[in-house]
Amino acid sequence: MSRILIVEDEERIATFVGKGLRAAGHAVDITGSGEDALAALQASDFDLVILDVGLPGMNGFEVLEVLRGTGDGVAVIMLTAQGSLEDTVRGLDGGADDYLVKPFRFEELLARVRARLRDSARPQETATPSFGGVSLDVRTRRARVDGREVDLSAREYALAEEFLRHPDQVLSREQLLNSVWGYGFDPGSNIVDVYVRYLRGKLGEERIETVRGVGYRLAG
């Protein structure tokens, strides 16, 4: 049984989601503020956090920043009424594992919960993937480019790792979206292109080639 923390100040939504998750076989705790959420996470172990952005006082982005700053890698799905790409990027860049915009269907949330719990249960790779002067240390989650250390956000790192696990292969936008952001993420989003642009700026423009009409390839 997985233990899930819901951080949501709208009682109606928190009750609805909690009831559905319990019916699906999960243990659920509910809190309505960021401060209480951090206290709960410090006191107990959770498998996943469903985190609302629009919390009173400390908002969801700030909770996530504190959480990741302490090295806590618990899976986080963010909920928000704000559907802009900038907010999505901010949440994912801050270390969120998934992002869902209100209003949402419970079936979609449940599918994302299952996907994130599967990801958490998957054994971590211990190898250090490298190709064409780029290498990643999976243990410390640091990147090196031509011998120099480069800072990558959590999502940039995940995208770089996907390329390095498939060097010189053409990866479609759909493949990258599913592997880095998870099944169920909006297929019409251009977030893959946005993050490829970010990654090119850090790894080198020439390293990630665009294969027109297909996707992208990490070139040596």
Side-chain angles (χ1 to χ4, degrees):
M1 178 187 291
S2 298
R3 190 175 180 195
I4 299 174
L5 176 64
I6 299 172
V7 190
E8 169 62 70
D9 65 315
E10 292 187 48
E11 186 176 350
R12 178 181 58 83
I13 295 176
T15 301
F16 167 72
V17 172
K19 183 178 179 180
L21 290 174
R22 289 187 184 103
H26 302 290
V28 175
D29 288 20
I30 299 174
T31 184
S33 75
E35 293 83 357
D36 288 346
L38 290 174
L41 286 160
Q42 188 173 24
S44 304
D45 290 329
F46 290 90
D47 299 293
L48 184 139
V49 179
I50 297 175
L51 177 62
D52 184 41
V53 169
L55 298 170
M58 177 180 280
N59 66 37
F61 293 129
E62 293 167 331
V63 172
L64 183 64
E65 183 179 1
V66 173
L67 195 60
R68 294 306 187 231
T70 62
D72 193 329
V74 63
V76 175
I77 299 175
M78 299 198 78
L79 302 180
T80 180
Q82 306 164 26
S84 72
L85 177 62
E86 290 77 13
D87 287 316
T88 304
V89 168
R90 181 180 176 187
L92 295 175
D93 242 5
D97 298 275
D98 211 338
Y99 208 94
L100 194 57
V101 178
K102 299 176 185 177
F104 54 85
R105 293 171 60 89
F106 178 75
E107 291 79 6
E108 181 179 3
L109 174 61
L110 187 58
R112 294 188 185 216
V113 166
R114 287 194 296 261
R116 299 288 74 81
L117 290 173
R118 281 198 304 270
D119 289 346
S120 298
R122 193 173 295 152
Q124 297 296 310
E125 304 239 26
T126 57
T128 303
S130 62
F131 181 75
V134 180
S135 64
L136 300 177
D137 187 323
V138 175
R139 183 179 60 83
T140 63
R141 301 189 71 79
R142 290 176 178 165
R144 299 189 72 83
V145 179
D146 296 330
R148 60 185 175 84
E149 193 166 299
V150 175
D151 290 329
L152 298 179
S153 71
R155 203 58 54 166
E156 289 168 348
Y157 183 96
L159 184 59
E161 184 174 7
E162 188 65 19
F163 278 122
L164 284 167
R165 299 286 182 197
H166 304 88
D168 213 25
Q169 296 180 31
V170 179
L171 301 178
S172 70
R173 287 174 176 82
E174 291 75 17
Q175 284 176 280
L176 293 170
L177 190 66
N178 289 336
S179 59
V180 177
W181 283 270
Y183 290 94
F185 203 89
D186 179 9
S189 169
N190 68 337
I191 199 163
V192 171
D193 306 289
V194 170
Y195 272 85
V196 165
R197 186 168 70 247
Y198 291 164
L199 206 54
R200 280 173 168 162
K202 295 183 176 183
L203 304 187
E205 291 286 337
E206 74 288 347
R207 280 196 164 93
I208 303 177
E209 298 178 346
T210 299
V211 180
R212 193 170 299 279
V214 182
Y216 298 101
R217 174 174 56 212
L218 180 66

